[in-house]
C-alpha cells in the first residue's frame, strides 16, 4: 500500500471518529439547558441559535402573555431547554419554560440542601392544600402548613410573593412540598426573643386573640401569649369574654404585669382608656335623677348601666313602694330603659346604689296626707294570714287588721275563721307608718270597749261577786259584772284542801271571791275564794278575839257570822 493510501485511510478513520464523537456530544445535550442567541422574532415564534446545525424555534408565548410582557430582542442571550435536536422539519425543538423550570429545580435543590427559604406565589387551590409557583417550578402547600393558626380568608395570601421553606423534593416525580408555617414559626421565635427581651410593664402592643375561655382571652403578641382577664377587657360589666372579643381579632393591649421568671404576661384593654370612676361623683351626684339600661338581674336586685363602664345596683328593696317579696325580674327586664335616682356612691368599692321607686310619688306618704288616724274605712279582704287580715285601701296599698284587733272579746285565732277572702268589711285606721310602709287597722275599735271601763273600777284585793260560766277540772270560768271575765283556780276554791272541789258548784251559781290579779291588756282577772275566806278569818279574829283568850275559831266565826246576819236583817 502506497503512502498516499495509508494517509487517506488514516484521515478517513479520524474523520469517522470525530463525526461519531460529535454525534455523541450532540446527543448528550438533549434534555439539557444551554445558552442561545436570539436570531429573529417572527409572528408567533422566536428563532434561537444554540450552536447546532440548525436553529431552534420557541413559541413566543413562552416569553410572556402579551406584547408588553415580552422583553426580548435579536442578539439577546437566553437560556433554553433542548427537548430534541431535530423535529420533522430539521429544526431543534427548544423550550424557554422548561429551561426556567430546570434552572428553578437546581436553585431549589441547593436551597433545600442549605435550608434556605425560597420565594413563591400561591396561585391555586387543590385537594388538601394549594399550589405555589416557585419561579417556574410548581410546589404543593398542604393546608396544615399555610399558617400557625387557622385562617378563614386566604384571599389576601393568593398572588402575593412570600417566603416558603422547602420540606422535601422528588425531581423524578416532579414533586415539591413547601411550608409557609415553618417560616412563620421561625419568625415567631425570633420575634418572641426580641419581644421578651424588651418587654416592660405599661407597653402598648398589638396582638391577635388566640383563644377565649370563661375567665378571659389569650392574646398572641407575636411568639408569646398574654392573658387578658375578663375584668380587664372593659370598664363595663362583661359576663363572658366572647361578648367583646372574637377569635382571630386584632386587638391593642397594654402590659399590666410581666413576670420575667415565669414569662407570664397580664394584659388589659380597658387600661388604654381613662377610668370612668375617677369622675363619677361629679358625673352622678347623690340625689340626681338619671336614665339607664338594665344590664343584669339577680335575686337581690338589678344592675343598671348609667354610661359605658359605670353601673349601679338597684336593690330589690328600692325597686317598688308596694311590691314586696317579688323577684326583680318581675319588675324590670334586661335591656329595659329605666329612670333611677342616685342614693349613694362608694368610689373606693366602685359601687353606686340606685333607686327606682324614688322616681315616683311614695303612695304611703300620699295615703297619710289624705287620710287621718281614727277614721273608718271600707275595703275588700285581699288576703287572710295566720296573724290577721289584709284589707285593700287602694290599688297598691293594703292595711293589716291584726288578730288582736278583731274583737274585744274572744280568741282571734277562732274569730279569723269567720272571714272570707273577697268580703268587704269596715275597719278603723289605728296608725299610718310611712317609714315602715305599714298601716294598722282595727275592727274591734269600731265598738266601745265596755270591759275596759268596767275593769278600771276593780281593784286588786277587793271582793266581788262572780257568776260561774264554765266548770272544768282546773277550776271555774266566771263573769264579773256584764263584761269582765275571770278565772278561779281549783286550789283557790276553798281554804281547806278537802273543800277544793269543782263538783261543789254549778253553772249559774254566784260566789264571792277576792281579786288576786288584773290583766287589763287581756281584760281578764284572777280570783280566789280561798283568799276571801282567809281575809274574813283575819277580820273576825281581830274583831271578836284571839286564840289566846280561850275562844275557839268556831266560836269566833260563829259570832262573826251572827253579826253579819243581824246587820243584813236590819
Amino acid at each position: 500500500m502506497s503512502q498516499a493510501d495509508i494517509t487517506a485511510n488514516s484521515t478517513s478513520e479520524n474523520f469517522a471518529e470525530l463525526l461519531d464523537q460529535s454525534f455523541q456530544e450532540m446527543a448528550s445535550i438533549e434534555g439539557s439547558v444551554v445558552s442561545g442567541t436570539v436570531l429573529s422574532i417572527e409572528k408567533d415564534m422566536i428563532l434561537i441559535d444554540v450552536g447546532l446545525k440548525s436553529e431552534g424555534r420557541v413559541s413566543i408565548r413562552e416569553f410572556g402573555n402579551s406584547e408588553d410582557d415580552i422583553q426580548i430582542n435579536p442578539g439577546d442571550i437566553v437560556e433554553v431547554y433542548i427537548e430534541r435536536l431535530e423535529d420533522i422539519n430539521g429544526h431543534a425543538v427548544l423550550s424557554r419554560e422548561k429551561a426556567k423550570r430546570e434552572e428553578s429545580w437546581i436553585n431549589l435543590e441547593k436551597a433545600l440542601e442549605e435550608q434556605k427559604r425560597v420565594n413563591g406565589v400561591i396561585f391555586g387551590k387543590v385537594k388538601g392544600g394549594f399550589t405555589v409557583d416557585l419561579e417556574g417550578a410548581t410546589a404543593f402547600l398542604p393546608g396544615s402548613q399555610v399558617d400557625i393558626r387557622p385562617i378563614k380568608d386566604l384571599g389576601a395570601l393568593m398572588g402575593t410573593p412570600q417566603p416558603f421553606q422547602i420540606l422535601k423534593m422528588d425531581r423524578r416525580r416532579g414533586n415539591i412540598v413547601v411550608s409557609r408555617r415553618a417560616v412563620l414559626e421561625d419568625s415567631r421565635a425570633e420575634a418572641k426573643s426580641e419581644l421578651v427581651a424588651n418587654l416592660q410593664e405599661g407597653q402598648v402592643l398589638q396582638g391577635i386573640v388566640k383563644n377565649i375561655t370563661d375567665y378571659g382571652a389569650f392574646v398572641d403578641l407575636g411568639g408569646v401569649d398574654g392573658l387578658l382577664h375578663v375584668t380587664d377587657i372593659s370598664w363595663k360589666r362583661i359576663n363572658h369574654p366572647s361578648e367583646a372579643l372574637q377569635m382571630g381579632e386584632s386587638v391593642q393591649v397594654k402590659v399590666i404585669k410581666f413576670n420575667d421568671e415565669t414569662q407570664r404576661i397580664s394584659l388589659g384593654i380597658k387600661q388604654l382608656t381613662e377610668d370612668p370612676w375617677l369622675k363619677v361623683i361629679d358625673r352622678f351626684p347623690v340625689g340626681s335623677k338619671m336614665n339607664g339600661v338594665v344590664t343584669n338581674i339577680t335575686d337581690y336586685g338589678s344592675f343598671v348601666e348609667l354610661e359605658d363602664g359605670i353601673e349601679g345596683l338597684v336593690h330589690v328593696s328600692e325597686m317598688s313602694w308596694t311590691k314586696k317579696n317579688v323577684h326583680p325580674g318581675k319588675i324590670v327586664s334586661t335591656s329595659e330603659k329605666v329612670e333611677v335616682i342616685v342614693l349613694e356612691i362608694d368610689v373606693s368599692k366602685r359601687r353606686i346604689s340606685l333607686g327606682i321607686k324614688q322616681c315616683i310619688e311614695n303612695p304611703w306618704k300620699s295615703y297619710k296626707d289624705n287620710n287621718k288616724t281614727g277614721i273608718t274605712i271600707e275595703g275588700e279582704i285581699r288576703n287572710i294570714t295566720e296573724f290577721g287580715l289584709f284589707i285593700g285601701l287602694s290599688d297598691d296599698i293594703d292595711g293589716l287588721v291584726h288578730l288582736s284587733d278583731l274583737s274585744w272579746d274572744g280568741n282571734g285565732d277562732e274569730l279569723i275563721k269567720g272571714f272570707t277572702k273577697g268580703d268587704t268589711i269596715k275597719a278603723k285606721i289605728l296608725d299610718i307608718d310611712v317609714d315602715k310602709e305599714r298601716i294598722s287597722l282595727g275592727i274591734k275599735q269600731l265598738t266601745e270597749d265596755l270591759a275596759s271601763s268596767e275593769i278600771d273600777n276593780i281593784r286588786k284585793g277587793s271582793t266581788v261577786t262572780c257568776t260561774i260560766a264554765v266548770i272544768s277540772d282546773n277550776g271555774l270560768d266566771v263573769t264579773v259584772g256584764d263584761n269582765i271575765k275571770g278565772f278561779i283556780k281549783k286550789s283557790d276554791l276553798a281554804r281547806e284542801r278537802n273543800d277544793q272541789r269543782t263538783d261543789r258548784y254549778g253553772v249559774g251559781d254566784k260566789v264571792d271571791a277576792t281579786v288576786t290579779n288584773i290583766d287589763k291588756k287581756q281584760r281578764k282577772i284572777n280570783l280566789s275564794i280561798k283568799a276571801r275566806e282567809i281575809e274574813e278569818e283575819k277580820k273576825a279574829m281581830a274583831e271578836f278575839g284571839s286564840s289566846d283568850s280561850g275562844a275557839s275559831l268556831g266560836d269566833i266565826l260563829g259570832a262573826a257570822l251572827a253579826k253579819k246576819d243581824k246587820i243584813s236583817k236590819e
Side-chain angles (χ1 to χ4, degrees):
M1 183 177 294
S2 64
Q3 186 66 36
D5 292 335
I6 293 173
T7 300
N9 289 335
S10 177
T11 301
S12 177
E13 290 175 0
N14 291 337
F15 179 77
E17 290 177 1
L18 291 171
L19 183 61
D20 184 57
Q21 183 180 354
S22 176
F23 281 136
Q24 290 181 3
E25 290 177 354
M26 291 177 66
S28 66
I29 67 173
E30 280 192 1
S32 63
V33 178
V34 298
S35 298
T37 303
V38 177
L39 298 178
S40 64
I41 301 175
E42 299 180 356
K43 184 177 181 181
D44 56 355
M45 301 294 289
I46 296 178
L47 271 63
I48 300 175
D49 179 13
V50 292
L52 300 177
K53 66 178 183 178
S54 60
E55 69 276 3
R57 292 171 174 261
V58 179
S59 172
I60 197 170
R61 291 195 304 273
E62 294 192 36
F63 287 88
N65 295 324
S66 65
E67 293 183 3
D68 294 335
D69 293 337
I70 300 171
Q71 301 292 330
I72 192 167
N73 298 298
D76 290 348
I77 304 298
V78 295
E79 298 288 326
V80 292
Y81 178 83
I82 300 177
E83 295 190 64
R84 294 197 307 276
L85 292 177
E86 291 184 355
D87 62 5
I88 192 171
N89 297 317
H91 298 124
V93 180
L94 309 177
S95 173
R96 172 63 176 164
E97 290 180 352
K98 289 186 178 181
K100 290 171 64 176
R101 195 176 300 120
E102 283 295 314
E103 184 179 359
S104 296
W105 271 93
I106 294 171
N107 293 332
L108 294 174
E109 287 173 339
K110 184 178 181 181
L112 175 61
E113 183 180 349
E114 298 176 358
Q115 287 296 298
K116 290 184 178 180
R117 298 171 185 173
V118 295
N119 290 322
V121 176
I122 302 174
F123 68 89
K125 185 174 182 179
V126 295
K127 184 178 180 180
F130 304 87
T131 51
V132 180
D133 179 11
L134 299 178
E135 298 181 357
T138 300
F140 174 64
L141 173 63
S144 61
Q145 297 297 318
V146 175
D147 206 306
I148 297 172
R149 63 183 64 83
I151 298 179
K152 295 181 179 179
D153 184 15
L154 285 169
L157 299 178
M158 300 288 284
T160 304
Q162 52 197 304
F164 295 89
Q165 187 75 41
I166 300 175
L167 300 181
K168 61 181 179 179
M169 294 180 66
D170 187 337
R171 188 162 187 173
R172 182 175 62 83
R173 296 183 178 181
N175 293 337
I176 306 174
V177 180
V178 295
S179 171
R180 181 174 176 270
R181 176 175 180 171
V183 176
L184 296 176
E185 288 177 344
D186 290 343
S187 299
R188 277 172 61 87
E190 296 171 4
K192 178 181 179 180
S193 300
E194 183 179 353
L195 177 65
V196 172
N198 299 313
L199 197 63
Q200 293 181 351
E201 293 181 3
Q203 272 185 299
V204 177
L205 303 170
Q206 199 72 24
I208 303 294
V209 178
K210 182 179 180 180
N211 189 27
I212 295 177
T213 67
D214 291 338
Y215 55 86
F218 287 94
V219 179
D220 181 1
L221 302 174
V224 62
D225 293 342
L227 174 62
L228 176 60
H229 196 269
V230 63
T231 57
D232 291 313
I233 294 175
S234 174
W235 292 112
K236 66 189 296 185
R237 176 187 296 272
I238 292 180
N239 296 317
H240 195 275
S242 60
E243 296 177 12
L245 301 172
Q246 293 181 348
M247 291 283 291
E249 179 183 357
S250 178
V251 292
Q252 192 176 51
V253 293
K254 188 173 186 177
V255 179
I256 301 174
K257 189 176 181 181
F258 172 57
N259 189 320
D260 192 33
E261 294 181 1
T262 61
Q263 301 287 293
R264 289 182 180 177
I265 305 171
S266 297
L267 306 173
I269 291 180
K270 74 179 186 182
Q271 287 79 4
L272 295 172
T273 58
E274 184 182 37
D275 184 355
W277 281 89
L278 296 177
K279 299 180 180 178
V280 70
I281 294 180
D282 297 332
R283 296 274 295 117
F284 311 105
V286 173
S288 60
K289 190 176 290 187
M290 312 293 297
N291 291 316
V293 177
V294 178
T295 58
N296 192 28
I297 297 175
T298 67
D299 292 337
Y300 53 85
S302 65
F303 288 91
V304 176
E305 183 181 63
L306 302 178
E307 65 178 28
D308 281 348
I310 299 295
E311 281 187 341
L313 172 66
V314 182
H315 192 267
V316 63
S317 62
E318 306 295 346
M319 302 195 77
S320 172
W321 291 113
T322 57
K323 295 178 181 178
K324 306 299 180 182
N325 302 318
V326 175
H327 191 275
K330 294 185 177 181
I331 301 176
V332 296
S333 57
T334 304
S335 301
E336 180 183 353
K337 293 182 179 180
V338 293
E339 190 175 44
V340 294
I341 281 183
V342 179
L343 303 178
E344 185 181 357
I345 296 178
D346 189 332
V347 177
S348 62
K349 294 182 179 179
R350 305 173 82 85
R351 292 178 182 172
I352 299 180
S353 297
L354 304 172
I356 289 178
K357 71 181 185 181
Q358 290 81 359
C359 293
I360 60 175
E361 185 180 11
N362 184 347
W364 300 96
K365 183 178 182 303
S366 177
Y367 191 85
K368 184 172 185 178
D369 292 342
N370 296 311
N371 298 274
K372 303 298 181 181
T373 56
I375 67 171
T376 300
I377 59 91
E378 188 175 52
E380 178 186 326
I381 299 177
R382 287 181 174 169
N383 195 18
I384 300 177
T385 68
E386 60 183 10
F387 52 84
L389 307 173
F390 282 95
I391 311 299
L393 303 178
S394 67
D395 290 340
D396 300 319
I397 291 179
D398 293 344
L400 172 66
V401 180
H402 193 269
L403 289 178
S404 60
D405 291 312
L406 289 175
S407 173
W408 294 116
D409 301 309
N411 188 327
D413 292 328
E414 294 297 326
L415 291 172
I416 200 170
K417 296 178 181 179
F419 294 92
T420 304
K421 186 175 180 180
D423 289 350
T424 299
I425 61 173
K426 290 182 178 181
K428 183 173 286 189
I429 298 178
L430 305 180
D431 182 55
I432 302 174
D433 192 327
V434 175
D435 294 333
K436 294 182 180 180
E437 299 177 352
R438 184 172 61 195
I439 298 176
S440 299
L441 304 175
I443 293 177
K444 71 181 185 181
Q445 286 81 2
L446 294 172
T447 59
E448 184 181 356
D449 183 7
L450 299 176
S452 178
S453 59
E454 290 182 13
I455 207 169
D456 286 339
N457 297 321
I458 296 177
R459 296 291 179 267
K460 185 176 179 180
S462 62
T463 300
V464 295
T465 300
C466 312
T467 302
I468 298 174
V470 178
I471 301 173
S472 64
D473 293 338
N474 297 324
L476 306 176
D477 285 299
V478 299
T479 59
V480 179
D482 295 329
N483 298 289
I484 301 174
K485 294 182 178 181
F487 184 71
I488 304 174
K489 293 189 297 184
K490 183 177 181 181
S491 59
D492 285 321
L493 291 178
R495 185 172 183 274
E496 300 297 330
R497 183 179 293 275
N498 292 335
D499 294 330
Q500 294 174 355
R501 305 191 317 273
T502 58
D503 57 3
R504 295 173 57 205
Y505 303 92
V507 174
D509 290 352
K510 294 185 181 296
V511 295
D512 290 339
T514 298
V515 179
T516 57
N517 186 57
I518 300 174
D519 188 340
K520 289 188 176 183
K521 186 176 182 180
Q522 296 293 328
R523 302 194 338 283
K524 287 185 178 181
I525 61 176
N526 291 328
L527 304 110
S528 172
I529 298 175
K530 176 181 176 180
R532 177 186 63 78
E533 291 177 346
I534 293 174
E535 183 64 24
E536 288 180 348
E537 179 182 338
K538 287 181 180 180
K539 288 181 178 180
M541 290 289 291
E543 184 175 353
F544 295 100
S546 66
S547 58
D548 293 337
S549 63
S552 67
L553 180 61
D555 295 336
I556 296 171
L557 290 176
L561 291 173
K563 182 178 181 181
K564 184 178 181 182
D565 289 340
K566 182 179 179 180
I567 293 173
S568 61
K569 289 178 179 179
E570 292 177 351

